[in-house]
Amino acid sequence: MTKRRMLVGLLGANIQGSMSPSLFADAFAAAGIDGYYHLLDADRLPGRLPQLYEAIRTAGFIGANVTFPFKQEIIPLLDAVDPSAAQVGAVNTVMFASDGRSTGYNFDRAGWRNSFVESIGSGGAKDATVVQIGAGGAGRAVAFALMDLGVADLVLHDLDTARANALKSDLSRHYGPSRCRLAQDLERDIAAAAGVVNATQVGMRGFPGNPVPVAALKAAHWAADVIYTPLQTEFLKAAAATGARTLNGSGMCVHQAVAVFRQLTGVTPDPARLRRAFATAVAARDAAFPAAT
């Protein structure tokens, strides 16, 4: 029997550290699919999102992941958007039908939520106050995931005030205005919260720094980051030093990969196997690029 053949990609910038090619290679092998996962890095290829998007459509890709900075920018290019992704206002996966029509999905929301429940526990968010830094594409998915988990008071901070206001407005429309507000004094808001999330790219390789006031962190907090390159950002290191529980972006990456692969191929990968593939790929990456650790 001839193997199914599939091309999948990732649209984004600064994506050479992505673990998705390794995860998909493992999932393709397990499923008996002749598949290839191609990085379309806007930092290395000519053109911007419209050109990259048209390239994968023309080349016959079955779909693609979408990451920073394109999760919102891609929406106007799509033929349809899944209701959950439309609610979030960000897309992390595009799938092409046999007739070429495209549909956008968001699996970051469930991916982050599942990772949080697995590592921190749903009780860490239920009826709690949480501070979230970052209201972009990843931040939108995390904010809706926190609402799914029953957060009582979500405090948003973004250097782009208009972006923070837009997310607050969308959350208020779906969940009422009492469960979400903008940070007034970030350090004080964090000190009074149960947990804090970094949903920005700050701390990622290529974007050094820590957007969280370290003085506000304490042992009673949980601290979560969407980043996995490196696994331990400056933010998570600072939080761990206080004794706080920490969560990096690896679980979100694995859980969303399971959902994306299932959507694109109809085959559900084994999450435990993908976690092992992730760990192996990270070890290889960190050996080759020690600065990423």
Side-chain angles (χ1 to χ4, degrees):
M1 182 179 294
T2 304
K3 282 187 175 182
R4 296 167 69 189
R5 303 188 69 188
M6 295 182 176
L7 273 178
V8 182
L10 173 62
L11 299 171
N14 188 39
I15 56 175
Q16 296 306 308
S18 173
M19 292 296 103
S20 291
S22 296
L23 295 184
F24 270 74
D26 188 83
F28 280 136
I33 296 171
D34 181 11
Y36 183 74
Y37 191 99
H38 188 68
L39 295 178
L40 292 106
D41 194 332
D43 288 343
R44 298 191 174 199
L45 297 172
R48 291 295 290 172
L49 178 60
Q51 291 79 21
L52 296 176
Y53 173 73
E54 194 54 40
I56 64 170
R57 185 201 286 267
T58 304
F61 281 58
I62 63 165
N65 281 133
V66 184
T67 191
F68 176 85
F70 299 140
K71 290 183 179 183
Q72 293 167 277
E73 187 179 334
I74 198 167
I75 292 175
L77 303 177
L78 304 176
D79 296 307
V81 177
D82 175 76
S84 178
Q87 186 183 51
V88 172
V91 161
N92 91 313
T93 303
V94 174
M95 183 174 183
F96 295 108
S98 56
D99 64 0
R101 284 180 56 82
S102 59
T103 302
Y105 299 88
N106 191 304
F107 298 110
D108 285 336
R109 177 182 185 171
W112 192 87
R113 184 179 69 234
N114 291 340
S115 176
F116 184 89
V117 170
E118 187 176 72
S119 299
I120 303 294
S122 57
K126 178 70 173 173
D127 298 325
T129 296
V130 175
V131 174
Q132 177 180 311
I133 300 173
R140 283 182 158 268
V142 171
F144 277 88
L146 285 166
M147 290 296 173
D148 294 340
L149 290 166
V151 164
D153 184 21
L154 179 59
V155 185
L156 296 172
H157 173 77
D158 195 294
L159 293 178
D160 184 336
T161 306
R163 187 161 61 182
N165 270 308
L167 177 53
K168 175 182 177 292
S169 176
D170 287 347
L171 290 168
S172 296
R173 186 168 68 253
H174 292 291
Y175 300 102
S178 65
R179 293 179 62 190
C180 182
R181 59 188 170 92
L182 299 186
Q184 299 298 314
D185 180 325
L186 186 57
E187 190 165 332
R188 185 179 300 171
D189 285 326
I190 290 173
V196 57
V197 184
N198 173 37
T200 76
Q201 75 273 29
V202 178
M204 185 178 180
R205 190 173 70 191
F207 299 90
N210 178 6
V212 182
V214 172
L217 297 171
K218 55 190 178 185
H221 280 128
W222 54 258
D225 208 317
V226 299
I227 295 168
Y228 63 79
T229 306
L231 287 176
Q232 298 305 314
T233 59
E234 292 305 314
F235 162 48
L236 292 186
K237 288 178 183 178
T242 71
R245 293 175 294 166
T246 63
L247 172 65
N248 62 39
S250 60
M252 178 184 183
C253 178
V254 169
H255 281 291
Q256 67 84 30
V258 170
V260 172
F261 194 87
R262 179 172 57 238
Q263 181 66 43
L264 294 179
T265 68
V267 177
T268 302
D270 175 12
R273 175 173 170 146
L274 279 195
R275 277 193 289 271
R276 292 193 295 271
F278 184 96
T280 299
V282 165
R285 178 198 71 188
D286 292 347
F289 303 101
T293 58

